[in-house]
């Protein structure tokens, strides 16, 4: 377990104890231990004696040690067994904390969303202290919003489900090849369901294995060429598996990947040549069916460069692919560094050195350490003193890792609600790379938001605006940004804009990136990693960049170490 996971376990224990109306001092002890662990800048490996950390007592130290050694806590397991699992889901509802949920559980027997919805409909909540008719109505509305399945589900929700499916697919010997298809392969931000193309000579055996290994709620359809199921999950996600012979895999993959508009364009192109495209191959005028070893060969047959899945949306991709032998789009192999990441100094799960080691495994030439600034107290933001101490540690690590990777000192600095920046100029001068970002007061007017962004972008040390709209896909629209003004300011001041690769964000969106690149703006694809596994989100960010037809020349973290150092030496416009 990493540090974040242990902190989460301690907080969960405190919540469960609160559900039980346990001694407040006992509840506070677990919350205090979680906070003490979070504010300690060391990694778990660097902590020798837990009970020497102020805020961690003998009892909580024992639980933490058990979590470190076994990945489990006997106390937490007992509480999970004793209390209904559905109680935790109620914390997602606005206005409901652990104390109120405890009252609902103990006085009305409410255990989950379903029983809470029923109690609200029967007007039972308004009889309890601390609740009223208005709060009951608000809760009922929130429950309906939380439980109603959206027409399209966000990428961040679908990706973990896809990874579970792919674990099963990769273990089946009857499968020769498989691939994601449809909206997921095109990296759409939201999608209705999941699609897979499977090359196999034994579709029936593959179907049997999938039904046995996956959490299936319902089989919607089942045949030799296709099986459709619904998964057991919050939103009962549908999955379509298409079974094809290995020789037809490339054309089937193209057919079930492209948007309807893209496939229409390809069929029109084929028709102009006297051919027909289907999932089985390309049928020529003499009734010969052509199949291809891969999609590159398929596109080459039509005198087109390979068109990445993300670009197959039925826009001008065929015109672009006709003019060159190879599309000059960014690839993950072009990325030489990640310029936005967090460590245990703020709200990251791993220590500074552990993140460095993770970046070395990614093959990066350089990284920038950008923990949160002091005003973001909820994320353990760095005071000036702590930031200066971190700069010293970064300098020491540069000596240790010389020749392997270079570390730059940085910060993700808050743009405060009144437009001020979170640090004075003197400390910003000590940093190599400064990111500015909005984390609060999202409801401000567009003019106020834009003034905050302008103040940051005109500062000579601010080189990048992180997650520029603040959106969370499917959950939060973000703050009011004037798109044209943002791009004009970025162009005028030479401030780069981020493509945040976190699948929850993808901020800027591909649509905004396409408009911004026309202004000659430079971009940066960053993971905003708070843990080692989040460094892998870079592949998602690169695909999102390809969706906007970005080239490596437009992305600053494709620069070599020497070119990036030169970029930092050059003053902003």
């Amino acid at each position: 377990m990493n540090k974040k996971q242990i902190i989460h376990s301690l907080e969960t224990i405190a919540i469960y104890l609160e559900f039980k109306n346990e001694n407040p001092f006992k509840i506070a002890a677990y919350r205090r231990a979680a906070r003490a662990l979070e504010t300690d800048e060391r990694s778990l490996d660097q902590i020798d004696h837990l009970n020497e950390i102020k805020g961690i007592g003998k009892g909580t130290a024992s639980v933490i040690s058990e979590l470190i050694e076994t990945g489990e806590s006997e106390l937490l397991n007992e509480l999970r067994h004793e209390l209904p699992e559905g109680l935790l889901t109620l914390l997602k509802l606005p206005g409901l904390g652990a104390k109120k949920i405890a009252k609902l559980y103990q006085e009305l027997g409410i255990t989950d969303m379903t029983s809470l919805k029923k109690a609200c409909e029967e007007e039972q909540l308004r009889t309890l202290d601390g609740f009223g008719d208005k709060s009951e109505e608000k809760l009922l509305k929130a429950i309906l919003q939380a439980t109603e399945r959206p027409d399209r589900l966000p990428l961040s929700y679908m990706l973990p489900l896809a990874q579970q499916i792919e674990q099963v697919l990769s273990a089946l010997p009857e499968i020769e090849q498989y691939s994601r298809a449809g909206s997921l392969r095109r990296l759409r931000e939201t999608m209705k369901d999941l699609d897979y193309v499977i090359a196999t000579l034994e579709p029936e055996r593959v179907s049997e294995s999938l039904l046995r290994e996956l959490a299936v709620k319902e089989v919607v359809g089942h045949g030799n060429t296709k099986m459709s199921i619904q998964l057991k999950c919050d939103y009962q996600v549908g999955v379509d598996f298409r079974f094809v012979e290995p020789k037809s895999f490339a054309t089937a993959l193209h057919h079930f990947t492209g948007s309807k508009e893209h496939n229409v364009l390809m069929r029109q192109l084929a028709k102009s040549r006297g051919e027909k495209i289907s999932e089985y191959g390309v049928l020529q005028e003499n009734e010969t069916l052509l199949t291809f070893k891969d999609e590159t060969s398929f596109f080459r047959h039509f005198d087109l460069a390979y068109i990445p899945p993300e670009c197959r949306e039925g826009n001008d991709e065929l015109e672009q692919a006709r003019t060159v032998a190879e599309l000059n789009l960014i690839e993950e192999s072009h990325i030489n560094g990640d310029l936005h990441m967090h460590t245990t100094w703020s709200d990251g799960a791993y220590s500074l050195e552990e993140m460095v080691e993770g970046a070395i495994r990614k093959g990066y030439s350089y990284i920038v350490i950008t923990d949160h600034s002091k005003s973001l107290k909820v994320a353990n933001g760095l005071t000036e003193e702590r930031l200066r101490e971190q700069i010293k540690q970064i300098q020491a690590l540069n000596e240790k890792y010389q020749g392997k990777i270079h570390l730059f000192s940085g910060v993700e600095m808050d743009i405060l609600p009144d437009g001020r920046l979170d640090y004075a100029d003197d400390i910003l001068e000590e940093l190599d790379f400064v990111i500015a970002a909005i984390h609060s007061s999202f409801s401000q007017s567009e003019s106020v938001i834009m003034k905050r962004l302008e103040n940051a972008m005109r500062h000579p040390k601010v080189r990048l605006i992180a997650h520029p709209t603040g959106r969370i896909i499917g959950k939060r629209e973000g703050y009011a940004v004037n798109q044209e003004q943002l791009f004009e300011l970025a162009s005028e001041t030479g401030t780069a804009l981020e493509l945040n690769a976190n699948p929850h964000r993808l901020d800027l969106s591909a649509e905004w990136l396409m408009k911004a690149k026309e202004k000659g703006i430079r971009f940066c694809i960053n993971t905003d990693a708070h843990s080692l596994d989040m460094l892998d989100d870079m592949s998602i960010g690169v695909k999102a960049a390809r969706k906007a037809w970005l080239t490596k020349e437009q992305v600053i973290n494709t620069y070599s170490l020497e070119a990036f150092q030169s970029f930092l030496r050059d003053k902003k416009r």
Side-chain angles (χ1 to χ4, degrees):
M1 295 188 93
N2 65 44
K3 202 173 182 183
K4 275 282 199 187
Q5 291 168 326
I6 289 174
I7 291 166
H8 177 71
S9 296
L10 294 171
E11 290 170 342
T12 304
I13 289 171
I15 289 167
Y16 273 131
L17 293 174
E18 206 160 9
F19 288 161
K20 291 182 65 180
N21 269 341
E22 280 277 2
N23 185 316
F25 293 104
K26 188 175 182 181
I27 297 167
Y30 283 95
R31 292 214 165 100
R32 194 162 52 246
R35 181 62 181 159
L37 200 58
E38 188 168 36
T39 53
D40 193 291
E41 292 152 5
R42 294 171 294 174
S43 68
L44 293 171
D45 292 341
Q46 294 170 325
I47 299 173
D48 295 323
H49 304 289
L50 287 163
N51 53 9
E52 289 181 1
I53 299 174
K54 187 177 180 181
I56 298 179
K58 185 177 179 182
T60 51
S62 174
V63 171
I64 294 169
S65 296
E66 184 186 8
L67 286 164
I68 293 170
E69 292 166 12
T70 69
E72 293 186 355
S73 159
E74 187 177 345
L75 172 60
L76 182 54
N77 288 340
E78 286 175 3
L79 290 167
R80 282 174 174 155
H81 181 73
E82 183 182 349
L83 292 163
E85 186 179 351
L87 290 176
L88 282 178
T89 65
L90 301 182
L91 288 167
K92 298 176 184 177
L93 298 173
L96 277 190
K99 287 182 179 178
K100 283 193 172 183
I101 293 170
K103 182 182 282 288
L104 294 172
Y105 171 55
Q106 289 158 14
E107 298 191 27
L108 296 179
I110 288 168
T111 60
D112 53 23
M113 290 275 191
T114 304
S115 54
L116 179 58
K117 179 174 178 284
K118 185 172 183 290
C120 288
E121 290 170 339
E122 295 175 355
E123 300 184 351
Q124 295 181 38
L125 268 67
R126 62 187 65 187
T127 64
L128 301 179
D129 289 340
F131 293 89
D133 54 351
K134 287 187 178 178
S135 61
E136 187 178 65
E137 289 167 8
K138 285 181 181 177
L139 265 179
L140 182 56
K141 185 178 179 181
I143 293 165
L144 293 173
Q145 289 176 338
T147 55
E148 183 181 357
R149 188 197 192 280
D151 183 50
R152 299 180 68 84
L153 292 163
L155 174 68
S156 59
Y157 182 83
M158 295 299 227
L159 273 173
L161 296 176
Q163 289 160 359
Q164 292 171 24
I165 292 168
E166 287 153 23
Q167 277 189 326
V168 174
L169 292 173
S170 61
L172 298 183
E174 299 86 4
I175 294 178
E176 295 193 23
Q177 280 181 283
Y178 73 86
S179 174
R180 298 172 180 178
S183 296
L184 181 61
R185 190 166 182 239
R186 298 202 313 278
L187 203 78
R188 299 285 293 182
E189 293 176 358
T190 60
M191 58 206 72
K192 288 186 177 181
D193 50 27
L194 296 172
D195 296 278
Y196 284 89
V197 176
I198 298 172
T200 181
L201 296 174
E202 301 178 77
E204 193 58 42
R205 291 188 65 179
V206 172
S207 296
E208 290 171 2
S209 299
L210 290 171
L211 292 175
R212 185 174 60 251
E213 298 296 330
L214 295 175
V216 179
K217 176 180 173 60
E218 181 184 353
V219 178
V220 180
H222 190 185
N224 286 330
T225 60
K226 178 182 176 182
M227 181 172 72
S228 298
I229 63 171
Q230 274 193 346
L231 295 175
K232 286 180 185 173
C233 55
D234 291 344
Y235 293 120
Q236 299 174 24
V237 171
V239 188
D240 285 344
F241 298 101
R242 308 277 181 166
F243 305 118
V244 299
E245 293 183 10
K247 66 180 182 181
S248 297
F249 181 73
T251 45
L253 183 56
H254 172 267
H255 180 82
F256 292 113
T257 293
S259 70
K260 180 176 71 174
E261 294 78 9
H262 172 83
N263 287 347
V264 166
L265 291 177
M266 288 300 299
R267 285 199 298 271
Q268 288 171 346
L269 175 59
K271 186 178 179 181
S272 71
R273 297 160 52 104
E275 296 175 332
K276 294 180 181 178
I277 297 176
S278 73
E279 62 262 46
Y280 304 109
V282 174
L283 186 66
Q284 296 187 301
E285 283 184 310
N286 62 6
E287 298 300 312
T288 300
L289 184 69
L290 299 179
T291 57
F292 305 89
K293 65 176 183 178
D294 53 32
E295 288 180 310
T296 300
S297 302
F298 169 80
F299 283 116
R300 192 177 294 128
H301 171 77
F302 293 100
D303 300 319
L304 297 173
Y306 174 77
I307 302 173
E310 305 82 31
C311 300
R312 301 178 198 173
E313 294 290 358
N315 298 315
D316 65 345
E317 61 263 31
L318 268 61
E319 284 77 10
Q320 298 268 18
R322 279 193 186 101
T323 58
V324 290
E326 185 176 348
L327 296 175
N328 180 32
L329 299 181
I330 189 166
E331 302 283 348
E332 191 174 1
S333 60
H334 296 153
I335 301 295
N336 285 317
D338 196 332
L339 312 188
H340 185 174
M341 63 177 65
H342 300 271
T343 74
T344 50
W345 281 72
S346 62
D347 61 343
Y350 291 91
S351 70
L352 204 164
E353 191 160 1
E354 286 171 327
M355 294 301 285
V356 172
E357 293 283 355
I360 290 172
R361 288 192 291 273
K362 297 289 289 182
Y364 293 153
S365 304
Y366 54 89
I367 56 173
V368 183
I369 302 299
T370 55
D371 279 304
H372 287 290
S373 64
K374 61 182 180 181
S375 288
L376 208 62
K377 291 183 170 59
V378 69
N380 192 29
L382 275 63
T383 62
E384 286 85 352
E385 293 76 18
R386 292 179 64 218
L387 182 53
R388 286 191 169 103
E389 182 58 37
Q390 188 186 70
I391 293 170
K392 290 178 184 176
Q393 287 208 18
I394 288 171
Q395 291 167 346
L397 287 174
N398 269 328
E399 293 182 16
K400 178 176 179 178
Y401 288 98
Q402 189 172 13
K404 291 185 178 180
I405 194 169
H406 188 86
L407 282 69
F408 293 96
S409 60
V411 72
E412 183 182 7
M413 178 176 60
D414 254 30
I415 308 171
L416 302 177
D418 61 4
R420 290 179 300 115
L421 301 181
D422 210 7
Y423 291 123
D425 288 356
D426 59 341
I427 191 162
L428 295 182
E429 285 296 331
E430 299 177 37
L431 295 165
D432 298 314
F433 190 79
V434 177
I435 297 174
I438 289 177
H439 290 103
S440 60
S441 300
F442 279 25
S443 61
Q444 288 178 332
S445 68
E446 181 183 287
S447 60
V448 174
I449 291 291
M450 290 312 302
K451 190 61 182 173
R452 290 169 73 182
L453 289 168
E454 181 177 359
N455 286 348
M457 295 167 84
R458 291 200 183 282
H459 194 283
K461 284 296 290 186
V462 173
R463 305 308 296 257
L464 178 73
I465 299 296
H467 37 76
T469 72
R471 72 168 185 168
I472 303 292
I473 298 170
K475 290 188 177 179
R476 187 173 76 196
E477 290 294 325
Y479 37 82
V481 177
N482 183 309
Q483 183 185 96
E484 286 301 316
Q485 191 179 348
L486 175 70
F487 298 161
E488 288 293 343
L489 283 167
S491 177
E492 179 189 341
T493 62
T495 308
L497 298 179
E498 182 178 69
L499 193 182
N500 191 293
N502 187 315
H504 293 272
R505 290 185 181 272
L506 293 182
D507 184 8
L508 293 171
S509 69
E511 178 189 353
W512 280 44
L513 288 168
M514 290 187 79
K515 293 178 181 176
K517 70 179 183 179
E518 295 172 3
K519 303 285 187 181
I521 294 166
R522 284 184 282 201
F523 305 99
C524 188
I525 306 171
N526 292 321
T527 62
D528 192 0
H530 285 66
S531 62
L532 289 170
D533 60 324
M534 288 177 70
L535 291 172
D536 293 335
D537 287 345
M538 184 62 76
S539 63
I540 297 171
V542 169
K543 288 175 183 176
R546 279 206 297 270
K547 200 168 192 67
W549 294 79
L550 293 191
T551 66
K552 63 178 289 190
E553 292 77 17
Q554 294 166 315
V555 178
I556 61 177
N557 52 320
T558 66
Y559 295 174
S560 67
L561 173 59
E562 294 75 19
F564 184 65
Q565 288 172 320
S566 177
F567 165 77
L568 293 181
R569 285 193 296 270
D570 290 342
K571 298 296 182 183
K572 281 177 60 180
R573 290 194 293 274

